[in-house]
Amino acid sequence: MRMRREYTNPEPLTKKQRQNQRKTERQREQRAHNSEVQDHRLRQHQIALADLRSREQWAKAKRTAAKTSLPPRSSKTPNSSASVIEGKLVWD
């Protein structure tokens, strides 16, 4: 058979216990605040890194576009010159 437990009011907290509770609560609030500040700094850092990467990629794309803007040299273009000697076409 189960014994019934009777509810008893907890004893009132001592002055030291109340002080410790307040101290613990202040520490929790400080930790929460520090965590928020740290998260904010991390987000700002990640945004700055993403911006830097984006700028680097854009600059790289501009460099490669500048290099490829010249028409490519073909191996089919003649490197020699033609001249006519005694009515005949001669390639030099």
Side-chain angles (χ1 to χ4, degrees), residues 1 10-11 15 32 36 41 51-52 66 77 79 86-88:
M1 186 174 199
E11 294 181 21
K15 180 179 179 182
E36 288 175 14
R41 286 181 182 164
D51 186 45
L52 180 64
T77 57
N79 295 333
E86 300 175 7
K88 294 184 181 179

Side-chain angles (χ1 to χ4, degrees), residues 39-68:
D39 290 343
H40 178 71
R41 286 181 182 164
L42 177 62
R43 281 192 302 276
Q44 293 299 326
H45 177 67
Q46 289 172 337
I47 289 170
L49 285 178
D51 186 45
L52 180 64
R53 267 189 240 111
S54 174
R55 288 175 192 258
E56 287 176 351
Q57 288 176 349
W58 181 252
K60 183 178 179 183
K62 285 174 84 175
R63 283 194 304 270
T64 56
K67 287 180 184 176
T68 58

Side-chain angles (χ1 to χ4, degrees), residues 8-85:
T8 59
N9 286 332
E11 294 181 21
L13 300 175
T14 64
K15 180 179 179 182
K16 191 65 175 175
Q17 288 172 328
R18 289 190 307 269
Q19 287 174 346
N20 287 340
Q21 274 185 336
R22 284 193 297 269
K23 179 181 173 185
T24 304
E25 185 60 32
R26 279 194 309 270
Q27 287 174 342
R28 279 192 200 118
E29 289 171 1
Q30 185 64 38
R31 276 192 221 110
H33 175 71
N34 290 346
S35 177
E36 288 175 14
V37 169
Q38 185 178 15
D39 290 343
H40 178 71
R41 286 181 182 164
L42 177 62
R43 281 192 302 276
Q44 293 299 326
H45 177 67
Q46 289 172 337
I47 289 170
L49 285 178
D51 186 45
L52 180 64
R53 267 189 240 111
S54 174
R55 288 175 192 258
E56 287 176 351
Q57 288 176 349
W58 181 252
K60 183 178 179 183
K62 285 174 84 175
R63 283 194 304 270
T64 56
K67 287 180 184 176
T68 58
S69 64
L70 299 173
R73 294 197 66 167
S74 173
S75 62
K76 295 181 180 179
T77 57
N79 295 333
S80 59
S81 61
S83 59
V84 178
I85 302 177

